[in-house]
């Protein structure tokens, strides 16, 4: 049996988490194959990253479509054509709608830069700083119709200890880049065994 899980990575921006996943695959500790990088922002840096490592990518502009349903139908067609088994959200700043949620039930995961349920939604790190929270962290969770509300798969937290935003952000990214590929590997192994 082919043991590489076929994934699509959805990202809206820099793509450092996409890079961490691609690096883990290349280093041989994540048994997956990135079939497609999808972005809703045609200028996103993640596209440059994908190009550099010869990974197929697809950019679309949501406002070119009548509705979320119509662009998700288009994406679903592409993903199914490529045999994509899991959708991995890595800084994709859009809610997933019923078309993809139904097609990929319990097969869509997200990473979020807070210890959910604290600070869901946009700018979770800014929210953490504004609240003068004692702890910050990262959550990997299944995606449902809500905003960062799906079942939690893994979490890691650390003490803010008066650190400034830059320090907290760097720590969060360092955690994310280890935690996301490692969590995906556990998840994929569980699912195929
Ligand atoms: C990451 O910190 C990720 O946790 C966050 O966006 C950043 C993307 O960085 N996601 C969310 O806030 C989702 N609600 P990257 O583009 O460098 O991977």
């Amino acid at each position: 049996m082919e043991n590489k899980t076929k994934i699509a990575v959805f990202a809206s921006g820099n793509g450092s988490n996409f890079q961490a996943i691609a690096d883990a695959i290349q280093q041989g500790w994540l048994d997956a194959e990135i079939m497609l990088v999808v972005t809703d922002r045609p200028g996103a840096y993640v596209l440059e990253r994908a190009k550099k490592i010869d990974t197929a990518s697809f950019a679309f502009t949501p406002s070119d479509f009548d509705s979320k349903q119509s662009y998700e139908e288009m994406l679903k067609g592409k993903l199914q054509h490529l045999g994509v088994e899991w959708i991995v959200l890595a800084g994709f700043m859009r809610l997933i709608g019923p078309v993809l949620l139904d097609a990929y039930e319990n097969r869509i995961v997200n990473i979020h830069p807070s210890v959910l349920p604290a600070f869901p939604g946009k700018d979770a790190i800014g929210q953490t700083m504004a609240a003068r929270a004692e702890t910050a962290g990262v959550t990997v969770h299944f995606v449902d119709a809500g905003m960062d509300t799906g079942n939690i798969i893994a979490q890691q937290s650390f003490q803010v200890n008066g650190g400034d935003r830059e320090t907290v952000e760097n720590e969060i990214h360092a955690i994310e880049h280890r935690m996301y590929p490692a969590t995906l590997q556990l998840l994929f192994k569980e699912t195929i065994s």
Side-chain angles (χ1 to χ4, degrees):
M1 187 171 126
E2 171 66 79
N3 61 3
K4 281 188 191 306
T5 302
K6 293 182 174 173
I7 66 173
V9 178
F10 284 29
S12 300
N14 176 15
S16 69
N17 280 284
F18 156 71
Q19 189 74 58
I21 291 165
D23 289 348
I25 292 171
Q26 205 260 329
Q27 289 158 12
W29 57 276
L30 173 56
D31 300 324
E33 185 177 357
I34 302 173
M35 307 304 292
L36 192 65
V37 171
V38 172
T39 185
D40 59 336
R41 296 204 185 137
Y45 186 63
V46 70
L47 292 171
E48 302 292 319
R49 294 183 186 269
K51 200 169 162 189
K52 271 188 204 151
I53 56 167
D54 282 330
T55 298
S57 62
F58 176 73
F60 72 103
T61 303
S63 59
D64 289 348
F65 293 80
D66 294 343
S67 61
K68 188 186 290 274
Q69 183 183 346
S70 65
Y71 75 68
E72 287 201 346
E73 291 285 2
M74 174 275 297
L75 292 175
K76 182 174 113 176
K78 284 187 183 296
L79 302 185
Q80 289 184 338
H81 178 72
L82 292 167
V84 168
E85 298 162 277
W86 286 79
I87 297 175
V88 175
L89 307 184
F92 188 69
M93 297 304 183
R94 237 164 239 284
L95 284 176
I96 301 297
V99 172
L100 289 178
L101 287 171
D102 287 353
Y104 285 91
E105 198 179 354
N106 290 323
R107 298 252 176 167
I108 309 179
V109 286
N110 182 41
I111 190 157
H112 183 78
S114 77
V115 186
L116 290 170
F119 312 126
K122 286 199 177 134
D123 192 18
I125 301 175
Q127 295 184 55
T128 303
M129 300 313 291
R132 298 182 185 282
E134 282 179 17
T135 56
V138 176
T139 303
V140 176
H141 64 94
F142 285 106
V143 172
D144 64 13
M147 174 85 84
D148 304 318
T149 50
N151 287 339
I152 291 170
I153 302 165
Q155 279 186 318
Q156 199 174 318
S157 64
F158 61 94
Q159 296 294 312
V160 173
N161 265 339
D164 62 10
R165 183 182 168 124
E166 194 185 346
T167 311
V168 170
E169 197 157 0
N170 287 341
E171 178 70 23
I172 282 179
H173 288 309
I175 291 171
E176 287 187 332
H177 298 162
R178 289 189 302 268
M179 185 178 171
Y180 212 8
T183 305
L184 292 174
Q185 175 65 2
L186 288 175
L187 207 53
F188 298 160
K189 267 172 51 187
E190 246 172 48
T191 315
I192 58 171
S193 60

